[in-house]
Amino acid sequence: PAPARDPHGRATPALPPARDAVTEQLPKIPVQEAEAVPERRPGTGIVPGAAGRYRGPDNALAADRARQARMTTVGAVTERWAPEQAGPVHEHWRLSPPVGPAADLWALGALLFRAVQGHPPYPEDSVAELVQAVIAEQPAFAEECGALRPVVESLLRQDPTERPSEEELRGWLRSIIRSAPEPDVGRRTVTLPPMLEAGRPSDPTRLPIVRHRGELVSKRKRRSGSPRALGRLLLVAVFCLVAGAMAFALLFMPSEEDRTDTASPGGSPSDQGGPAPDGSGEEPEEGGNDPEATDEPVPAPDGFEAVSDETGFGLALPEGWERGTGSDGQVTFEGDGLVLTVVPGRDGAAEFGEAPMEYQLQSQPELQGYRDAPWRSSGSLRSITVGQVALAEGDFLWDGGEGRQFVRNRAMLIGDDYHVVMVQGTEDDRDAISEVFPTIAESYRVR
């Protein structure tokens, strides 16, 4: 047919055929062919059904791979691992609880626990350990959550069906907020005067105070009466008192030469203020224990006898001890299996120095066996000053030819000469030596 023309003589395009006519012209498709669904590819996870299609893993292996990939991507974060998300994959994995809003409630509970307690409800050292703990163990108790404790512990239940719903949680939190007490007014809270409160009229009689710029934040005004300034003042006062006490001690305390080591067991009883060696409680006369030269007789307590030797010294010996033979300026006494060695001024300070402790440890010939022994031990070393006499004491133990030898030794610098009092025995005689040595050594006199 000829194309239609408008009133002006121009040709108009032909209209498309009607919908029904087009439908009638299409080929008819059989019903079975129209309802058929293309076969899905393996591993695509497309499962047809009446309610729609399921997009996800289609077998247990694919589901486990997805779970491992999520563990690697998410990591050890408790909020992201609800028990239904962390469960292992079994052959019946399609029957596991679905992941839905309950997992979000679990994440909220873990977040509240972390925010209030300061740490997560499960340890997050390893993602594998976290996933296993979420499934097999209960979370930590929310002991410090206060009023939120029942809420947090309910949200962290392992069974998703036992967790509260969104409506229950909203009502629970609303009731907690309504019943919460008002916060206490802090010490630094500023209370506004009535004229500045909302809804109250201002006071026309009060005018603003004109201040210079920066005056309100002046450090001098802000710190003038602060507790920190008071603390600094007290600290300075304490330092002044300590310095004053030290100055007083330096000015008025006796000098080192006039003091005696009262803690030493070898010190004289008169200096210590204690009883005499005989236990009678009577104090000896002044200067009685000073080993300087004197013509006074040697005091002898019970069980001892006074001895004045021809070499120019005197001391108190246990009864029954006999004088032996000595060499190299030594005088020996023996008794009860012990040996007393006295050296009355053989060595001089000009040759061996004026330090009795160094002379005793490094130069005294009577202790040469101690210095040469492969095994040796010393103890109770002390330096003492008695009046004008400097002395040193010590206990010495070493392996000798006749077994272990034990010695208590005292080296005294009297004038310019060294005097030695030494009691020697075996290690088994330690108690016996310690019993007689103090009396012998303290009674030593130079005539």
Side-chain angles (χ1 to χ4, degrees):
R5 296 181 179 273
D6 57 5
H8 300 284
R10 291 176 296 183
T12 58
L15 296 175
R19 183 178 182 86
D20 296 339
V22 174
T23 305
E24 292 177 356
Q25 295 176 5
L26 292 178
K28 299 296 183 178
I29 302 176
V31 177
Q32 296 179 355
E33 199 173 340
E35 294 179 356
V37 178
E39 183 180 358
R40 61 187 175 92
R41 298 178 181 178
T44 58
I46 303 177
V47 180
R53 294 183 298 174
Y54 165 76
R55 296 185 179 274
D58 57 352
N59 54 50
L61 180 59
D64 188 67
R65 288 177 178 175
R67 178 173 175 269
Q68 296 296 331
R70 188 173 189 274
M71 292 173 60
T72 304
T73 305
V74 174
V77 182
T78 307
E79 289 83 353
R80 302 296 298 275
W81 289 107
E84 57 268 26
Q85 295 174 301
V89 178
H90 302 286
E91 292 299 331
H92 54 281
W93 59 280
R94 298 292 293 274
L95 301 178
S96 301
V99 178
D104 298 334
L105 295 175
W106 165 277
L108 176 60
L111 182 62
L112 290 175
F113 189 101
R114 187 191 299 269
V116 180
Q117 296 277 131
H119 59 86
Y122 289 95
E124 296 180 341
D125 300 331
S126 170
V127 60
E129 296 178 0
L130 173 62
V131 170
Q132 182 64 25
V134 166
I135 301 171
E137 300 178 7
Q138 295 293 332
F141 293 108
E143 297 177 350
E144 300 179 5
C145 289
L148 287 175
R149 178 175 182 177
V151 179
V152 174
E153 292 182 350
S154 299
L155 293 174
L156 292 178
R157 290 173 181 170
Q158 291 185 335
D159 189 353
T161 60
E162 296 181 357
R163 299 170 197 160
S165 62
E166 294 86 344
E167 293 298 331
E168 294 175 350
L169 179 62
R170 186 180 294 107
W172 207 341
L173 294 177
R174 188 181 294 111
S175 63
I176 291 176
I177 293 174
R178 290 177 178 175
S179 60
E182 293 294 332
D184 297 333
V185 178
R187 184 180 61 181
R188 298 184 179 181
T189 303
V190 179
T191 304
L192 295 177
M195 61 171 293
L196 298 180
E197 293 183 4
R200 291 178 176 266
S202 61
D203 187 359
T205 61
R206 297 194 58 178
L207 298 177
I209 300 175
V210 179
R211 294 185 175 91
H212 297 288
R213 182 179 181 183
E215 184 178 354
L216 294 178
V217 294
S218 174
K219 295 183 178 180
R220 181 177 301 176
K221 288 189 176 183
R222 186 174 54 183
R223 295 182 181 180
S224 59
S226 63
R228 293 183 179 179
L230 180 60
R232 285 194 296 269
L233 181 61
L234 293 177
L235 186 60
V236 171
V238 171
F239 282 156
C240 293
L241 290 177
V242 173
M246 294 177 64
F248 177 83
L250 293 176
L251 292 176
F252 298 101
M253 292 293 288
S255 62
E256 183 68 23
E257 297 180 355
D258 298 335
R259 288 183 291 177
T260 302
D261 188 357
T262 58
S264 170
S268 62
S270 61
D271 295 332
Q272 297 181 9
D278 58 357
S280 60
E282 299 178 358
E283 296 183 0
E285 297 180 1
E286 183 179 358
N289 275 12
D290 194 337
E292 293 181 349
T294 179
D295 294 332
E296 297 180 1
V298 179
D302 294 340
F304 290 79
E305 58 181 353
V307 176
S308 296
D309 195 81
E310 59 187 13
T311 56
F313 68 88
L315 47 69
L317 283 179
E319 296 178 353
W321 285 37
E322 297 181 358
R323 191 179 190 277
T325 58
S327 60
D328 194 18
Q330 301 174 349
V331 179
T332 61
F333 298 88
E334 298 180 2
D336 300 332
L338 307 178
V339 178
L340 167 64
T341 302
V342 180
V343 181
R346 175 192 57 196
D347 302 327
E351 180 181 359
F352 297 97
E354 298 182 357
M357 182 61 71
E358 295 182 3
Y359 169 77
Q360 174 180 243
L361 296 176
Q362 301 176 7
S363 305
Q364 182 181 334
E366 288 72 25
L367 293 175
Q368 189 63 39
Y370 163 78
R371 290 188 287 271
D372 296 340
W375 181 92
R376 59 183 181 270
S377 175
S378 61
S380 301
L381 298 175
R382 61 181 67 86
S383 297
I384 311 170
T385 301
V386 181
Q388 301 299 323
V389 178
L391 55 94
E393 281 189 4
D395 299 345
F396 302 90
L397 180 66
W398 71 89
D399 282 336
E402 301 178 357
R404 289 191 175 181
Q405 301 295 311
F406 178 76
V407 162
R408 291 201 65 179
N409 184 80
R410 173 180 287 190
M412 299 168 283
L413 182 59
I414 303 176
D416 295 331
D417 299 322
Y418 279 104
H419 296 249
V420 175
V421 177
M422 184 179 76
V423 181
Q424 182 175 353
T426 63
E427 186 179 11
D428 297 335
D429 300 326
R430 182 192 294 264
D431 295 338
I433 294 175
S434 300
E435 183 179 355
V436 300
F437 178 79
T439 302
I440 298 175
E442 293 164 6
S443 63
Y444 181 81
R445 301 289 185 274
V446 179
R447 294 189 292 106

